Amino acid sequence: MSATRAHTKPASVPSADADAANADTEADPDAETGAATPRPHQGTDSEDTLELRLPEELLALLAPEGTDGDGHREPGRDDGTTAQNTAPPYTTPPYTALTTTSADLLGNIADWGPVTTPAGVFHLVPVQVERDLPLVSRWMNDPAVTAFWELAGPQSVTEEHLRSQLTGDGRSVPCLGVLEGTPMSYWEIYRADLDPVARHYPARPHDTGIHLLIGEVPHRGRGLGSTLLRAVADLVLDKRPACARVIAEPDLRNIPSVTAFLRAGFRFSAEIDLPAKRAALMVRERSLRDLL
């Protein structure tokens, strides 16, 4: 089962690395306050003077990289300029260790963690191009997928599609779907209310969209898509309290995909005309999640 991608590539904006760099030079929280202290007498006729200290926040900004506001070397720096990466390496495969990515507009999917489904333990793992490109590109060149995703060709085609999301503003996050430690599907979780698709239906704030393809042929035609769609939609609703609806817009021609969404508790809302397809607008609402 596959769902056609409909949203355009997000615009690139500066990443959250700038904020992380600023955090590296925060003042020591245990440092002295900026209270003035008396200086010793300069002579019998001189007046007492006060030493004025700059605020710790300003000292932190002026301090050389790799030190705190009092000039001490920061822990976690190997040479005072380069932050050490102390996170455990991501295992490949099996895909069992999660790494935290830069902040996105979806509540940091990397931290959502695994969920237990009738098919086994499943979790969404944000794509790392260097590790995952060969696999995702192979899936995109499957004839059953090509007709709807339109990303067939050399790896550079898929790479451009992935990087346009990963270097964007965090409104769309490409992920591998990992079932029992094995990557077997590709997902895009995106802010539908911030996506061009919002021009084609009455979007609400924090609407979250899903694109899915089942990558490995043995996993297709077994009802697995419906099981995982329900699990991921519920995961979105659990992890994003502000989101009241999860939406999807599979190609109307993709009958297996539309059927999978219906079986996963989505309801058919409308037919919508998108630039590349006529789509079925599928909606799973928080208020109805226990009924469908």
Side-chain angles (χ1 to χ4, degrees):
M1 185 205 71
S2 62
T4 308
R5 58 188 177 92
H7 54 75
T8 59
K9 298 173 183 176
S12 296
V13 297
S15 70
D17 292 342
D19 293 334
N22 290 340
D24 284 340
T25 55
E26 279 187 5
D28 184 347
D30 296 325
E32 298 178 33
T33 64
T37 56
R39 291 174 60 88
H41 290 292
Q42 303 299 318
T44 55
D45 295 328
S46 64
E47 295 181 338
D48 287 344
T49 60
L50 296 178
E51 178 184 1
L52 298 179
R53 296 193 60 188
L54 293 174
E56 296 293 341
E57 293 81 357
L58 183 55
L59 286 172
L61 292 175
L62 297 176
E65 288 190 6
T67 63
D68 63 17
D70 290 326
H72 303 301
R73 182 182 291 272
E74 282 184 277
R77 293 273 184 166
D78 56 357
D79 61 0
T81 58
T82 304
Q84 292 179 324
N85 181 8
T86 57
Y90 198 108
T91 57
T92 59
Y95 291 75
T96 54
L98 287 174
T99 57
T100 301
T101 62
S102 57
D104 54 51
L105 297 179
L106 291 153
N108 208 353
I109 291 176
D111 290 339
W112 286 6
V115 293
T116 300
T117 77
V121 177
F122 176 84
H123 62 234
L124 292 173
V125 179
V127 163
Q128 293 180 14
V129 173
E130 293 74 13
R131 179 194 65 207
D132 303 324
L133 178 59
L135 179 63
V136 179
S137 180
R138 176 167 64 82
W139 290 345
M140 292 299 180
N141 279 278
D142 185 319
V145 173
T146 298
F148 300 106
W149 283 78
E150 301 177 353
L151 289 173
Q155 288 189 3
S156 59
V157 176
T158 299
E159 180 177 5
E160 181 181 4
H161 179 71
L162 296 175
R163 290 195 186 278
S164 69
Q165 297 173 79
L166 295 170
T167 61
D169 60 5
R171 72 182 62 185
S172 180
V173 179
C175 298
L176 290 182
V178 180
L179 183 64
E180 291 293 315
T182 301
M184 44 70 64
S185 54
Y186 172 76
W187 300 71
E188 291 172 355
I189 312 299
Y190 67 97
R191 284 285 298 271
D193 60 324
L194 303 179
D195 189 88
V197 73
R199 303 172 190 151
H200 301 275
Y201 82 102
R204 299 178 188 172
H206 295 282
D207 276 358
T208 302
I210 291 177
H211 293 151
L212 161 67
L213 74 84
I214 301 297
E216 301 297 339
V217 174
H219 292 298
R220 299 175 190 165
R222 299 168 38 199
L224 188 57
S226 298
T227 297
L228 298 182
L229 280 169
R230 182 181 293 273
V232 171
D234 287 347
L235 184 63
V236 170
L237 295 173
D238 288 339
K239 299 298 183 179
R240 304 200 65 236
C243 172
R245 303 189 304 179
V246 179
I247 72 109
E249 15 76 18
D251 194 308
L252 273 174
R253 299 172 298 162
N254 194 344
I255 303 303
S257 181
V258 174
T259 302
F261 279 103
L262 289 171
R263 290 175 175 169
F266 287 72
R267 63 178 179 82
F268 173 79
S269 178
E271 293 185 14
I272 56 176
D273 288 312
L274 300 176
K277 64 183 178 182
R278 185 162 180 80
L281 178 65
M282 312 298 295
V283 180
R284 181 158 173 76
E285 295 170 305
R286 181 183 296 277
S287 60
L288 299 177
R289 65 184 292 190
D290 294 330
L291 302 177
L292 297 175

